[in-house]
Amino acid sequence: MQNLLLCVSICLIAGLLMSRLAKRVGLPAVTAYLVTGLLLGPYCIGRLGLPGVGFHSMEDVNYLGLISEMALGFIAFTIGNEFRLEQLRHMGRQAITVGILQAVVTTIVVDLGLITFHLAFPETLSLASAITLGAIAAATAPAATLMVVRQYQADGPLTRLLLMVVAIDDAVGLMLFSGSFGVASALEQGGISLITVVVEPVLEIVFSLALGAVAGYILDWSERYFHSRGNRISMTVAFVLLTVGLSMVEFQLGPVRCGFSLLLVCMMTGTIFCNICETSEVLMERLDRWTTPLSILFFVLSGAELDLRILRNPMVLLIGVIYIAARSAGKILGSYSSCALTGCEKNIQKYLGITLLPQAGVALGMAITAASLSDGAMVRNVVLFSVLVYELVAPTLTKNALFAAGELHSEELLSQKHHGN
């Protein structure tokens, strides 16, 4: 137990110190946390075998897996906060259409690229993993996008649409992942049936949304008995943990195996709660501060899970490059075509896809779920590799796109703000 506490504390301290170094060279904090995990992992410092310092084996990393599950619950709950009815009514058809179509197009483009690779090298990447990676590609990191928008105080038609699309994008991505992972699991079982491909994924989505909706209403009802913000935050944290626990339950309905998606359950809980609770905005701000250490641990653990032995195989890097190229093309093509279809301004058509490139927490969460596939380690490492690349370059690309669209201040002022922060 003492080694566990030492390891957790060192992960937090090292992650925070690394984020300060990353800030000096203009890198996002999430990249620093991932690199910290990589350094503390079983293939770097962990190999030294020092008690409480680093992870000596993958079993040590998996032992803290519950932390990752909890962090995913809070990430999804926060995503639900973006689905406020007032914002949905204001953005209307454009945001919903663009959010859905660009995610679907991205999945199709990545699927085509990776399935082609599978046909050429079937022993390197399975068809199930190729399909799963296609769905994971749809997810965009809201944290990285919001960081750029807030840091440079961006405002305008592109920025407002971007914030809505990021939220819708993750919801669509979660649904695409549920369906695709159902197909992938069916393929690995040696056959495809209507139950495993259609019925089980659909029921998982329906049951997850229903459970999340019920939890959101009960959370709002429960918090009416408390007046202090501290007690309300405690109740919110308890309900997120409750929904994480309930989402792990599985049961049978005749021949159908039923379960829940942790991400969908917690997202729906956050959506319902934030739309019916009058004090939800204040509570969400406080919750974000409370869960910051948990988020740091999530990314550090994700970095520690990177299996460097797999990266010795050049095919892994090749798959990562194909994934990144196909996903980038899918985001840009999907955003451009869907924006043109809905009559968006030329600047939005041109630059929205670039602003949707960041990828982090939600994709990493999907990769954890995909670990049950026969070559799930390949999926996890391809996603981690792509996250490192995207987090290095995507925030800068987002800033440049918003500047080109005329929704940021002058470059000189941006530079002053950057150094001032």
Side-chain angles (χ1 to χ4, degrees):
M1 181 61 70
Q2 67 182 23
N3 288 342
L4 176 63
L5 292 176
L6 283 172
C7 188
V8 169
S9 62
I10 289 175
C11 285
L12 281 172
I13 295 171
L16 288 169
L17 292 176
M18 186 68 74
S19 69
R20 298 302 300 177
L21 294 176
K23 187 175 183 180
R24 290 181 177 274
V25 294
L27 296 178
V30 65
T31 303
Y33 303 146
L34 288 168
V35 172
T36 300
L38 178 62
L39 294 176
L40 292 175
Y43 304 105
C44 292
I45 295 176
R47 291 181 66 90
L48 300 177
L50 300 175
V53 180
F55 302 96
H56 303 162
S57 65
M58 281 298 175
E59 287 72 22
D60 291 344
V61 180
N62 296 332
Y63 189 69
L64 296 177
L66 181 61
I67 293 177
S68 295
E69 296 294 320
M70 292 166 53
L72 281 176
F74 286 103
I75 290 171
F77 185 78
T78 302
I79 292 173
N81 185 46
E82 300 298 325
F83 289 91
R84 293 184 179 272
L85 291 178
E86 307 85 32
Q87 296 174 340
L88 286 173
R89 292 194 191 101
H90 179 67
M91 299 308 299
R93 182 175 60 91
Q94 281 187 337
I96 296 175
T97 303
V98 173
I100 294 174
L101 289 183
Q102 59 82 27
V104 172
V105 169
T106 301
T107 295
I108 293 173
V109 172
V110 176
D111 276 343
L112 290 176
L114 293 181
I115 289 174
T116 301
F117 181 89
H118 160 75
L119 296 175
F121 304 97
E123 295 182 357
T124 303
L125 182 70
S126 68
L127 180 59
S129 292
I131 294 173
T132 302
L133 281 168
I136 293 175
T140 297
T145 303
L146 289 174
M147 176 184 67
V148 174
V149 170
R150 290 172 178 172
Q151 179 178 356
Y152 300 109
Q153 299 180 353
D155 189 31
L158 172 59
T159 302
R160 289 191 288 270
L161 180 63
L162 168 63
L163 295 177
M164 285 300 302
V165 169
V166 165
I168 295 172
D169 173 272
D170 280 319
V172 177
L174 295 176
M175 294 181 184
L176 288 172
F177 178 76
S178 295
S180 296
F181 188 64
V183 174
S185 299
L187 289 173
E188 295 222 326
Q189 293 169 5
I192 299 178
S193 67
L194 183 64
I195 290 178
T196 55
V197 175
V198 179
V199 177
E200 290 184 353
V202 170
L203 285 180
E204 179 176 327
I205 292 172
V206 173
F207 287 163
S208 298
L209 295 178
L211 176 60
V214 172
Y217 278 108
I218 296 177
L219 172 58
D220 176 63
W221 174 78
S222 301
E223 292 206 348
R224 294 178 184 177
Y225 292 95
F226 301 94
H227 302 288
S228 73
R229 289 175 179 173
N231 286 337
R232 289 186 171 184
I233 283 292
S234 299
M235 181 63 72
T236 303
V237 170
F239 258 80
V240 174
L241 296 179
L242 175 63
T243 53
V244 169
L246 291 176
S247 67
M248 297 178 183
V249 175
E250 294 185 354
F251 57 95
Q252 291 283 140
L253 287 178
V256 181
R257 182 189 63 83
C258 299
F260 302 95
S261 165
L262 182 153
L263 295 171
L264 280 178
V265 172
C266 295
M267 185 191 70
M268 192 61 176
T269 302
T271 298
I272 296 299
F273 174 70
C274 291
N275 276 286
I276 62 178
C277 178
E278 296 180 355
T279 60
S280 62
E281 290 191 22
V282 176
L283 290 174
M284 291 301 295
E285 291 178 2
R286 290 175 174 264
L287 184 66
D288 286 342
R289 292 194 291 269
W290 186 90
T291 57
T292 296
L294 197 60
S295 298
I296 295 173
L297 285 174
F298 170 73
F299 288 114
V300 172
L301 289 173
S302 297
E305 288 179 338
L306 181 59
D307 192 339
L308 296 183
R309 295 173 300 178
I310 297 179
L311 292 178
R312 295 172 184 171
N313 184 349
M315 283 296 186
V316 176
L317 300 179
L318 178 58
I319 295 172
V321 171
I322 294 173
Y323 174 87
I324 291 170
R327 180 179 180 271
S328 301
K331 285 290 181 184
I332 294 172
L333 175 63
S335 297
Y336 183 88
S337 57
S338 57
C339 286
L341 180 66
T342 56
C344 295
E345 299 176 8
K346 291 293 183 181
N347 272 346
I348 297 178
Q349 296 180 30
K350 187 175 181 180
Y351 296 114
L352 180 64
I354 298 175
T355 64
L356 293 173
L357 291 181
Q359 188 172 51
V362 175
L364 291 172
M366 293 176 178
I368 290 175
T369 302
S372 61
L373 297 174
S374 60
D375 56 347
M378 178 73 76
V379 174
R380 183 183 67 244
N381 283 280
V382 168
V383 173
L384 282 169
F385 172 71
S386 70
V387 165
L388 283 170
V389 173
Y390 277 123
E391 289 303 307
L392 283 170
V393 301
T396 300
L397 293 176
T398 299
K399 185 201 77 172
N400 292 340
L402 292 173
F403 177 77
E407 300 192 4
L408 295 185
H409 298 291
S410 68
E411 284 289 352
E412 180 180 356
L413 181 57
L414 289 178
S415 178
Q416 291 174 357
K417 283 177 173 287
H418 176 73
H419 291 298
N421 290 336

